[in-house]
Amino acid sequence: MLSTFEELYGHHHEKELIDRIAESAGHRRVQVKRVIQQFLDEIVNELGRGNRLEFRDFGVFETKIRKARKAQNPKTLEPVAVPEKRTVKFKVGRLMKQKLGELTGAHIDDEAGDVREMPDTHEADEEESQEKSAGGQVQA
């Protein structure tokens, strides 16, 4: 049985997309799968080297370093050191934003509204202090 999200937005797997591409391009499924996997591997390799990837009108992939910070375990209220980590950021391109807007009828943001920019360590410490004084808890 499909969940509400899947009923509304659909849920597709790699196999279904590969089958569709193979059929529309007139190529064997195994060839299409190989090319797509190689493409995805190259994206990962480039991001791993710290390179920014721009696919005109589709979007931009880039890695960002989230600096080490201090947080608080919400259960124990003990301070926790959160180590530096690398994350991948995707910014939607102009044409993708336009097409998704046409397909869904909804405004498409450049970036997810519920995801904020990664603060540097000083900003994270200030934010933590403000939330503690306001009675909130910072989660890692």
Side-chain angles (χ1 to χ4, degrees):
M1 180 172 201
L2 293 176
S3 70
T4 305
F5 180 84
E6 290 170 331
E7 289 171 359
L8 292 174
Y9 299 104
H11 184 81
H12 296 279
H13 295 279
E14 177 184 4
K15 180 187 181 316
E16 295 163 337
L17 294 175
I18 288 171
D19 288 345
R20 253 191 301 181
I21 292 168
E23 185 177 323
S24 68
H27 293 289
R28 294 182 56 215
R29 183 182 185 287
V30 68
Q31 292 170 320
V32 171
K33 182 177 182 177
R34 212 175 284 140
V35 169
I36 289 173
Q37 189 59 56
Q38 184 175 359
F39 178 73
L40 295 173
D41 290 345
E42 287 301 319
I43 288 174
V44 171
N45 290 338
E46 288 298 313
L47 290 171
R49 291 184 196 107
N51 295 329
R52 180 179 189 267
L53 293 170
E54 181 177 342
F55 297 97
R56 192 161 310 282
D57 295 328
F58 179 79
V60 178
F61 291 93
E62 61 185 326
T63 58
K64 296 283 187 179
I65 299 294
R66 183 172 186 169
K67 295 183 180 180
R69 63 190 175 92
K70 293 193 187 305
Q72 186 177 41
N73 181 323
K75 288 184 180 178
T76 65
L77 304 179
E78 292 292 319
V80 177
V82 179
E84 176 178 277
K85 68 179 178 179
R86 182 182 296 241
T87 63
V88 176
K89 184 177 177 183
F90 178 74
K91 183 174 181 181
V92 179
R94 181 186 55 83
L95 188 60
M96 178 190 267
K97 189 188 311 184
Q98 177 185 338
K99 291 206 177 221
L100 287 174
E102 290 170 2
L103 290 170
T104 64
H107 173 72
I108 308 298
D109 285 333
D110 284 341
E111 299 174 27
D114 61 343
V115 177
R116 60 185 176 188
E117 276 298 311
M118 291 176 256
D120 65 23
T121 306
H122 179 69
E123 289 173 351
D125 291 342
E126 283 181 18
E127 190 176 291
E128 182 178 347
S129 296
Q130 289 173 353
E131 288 187 20
K132 280 182 183 178
S133 64
Q137 294 176 352
V138 177
Q139 294 183 9

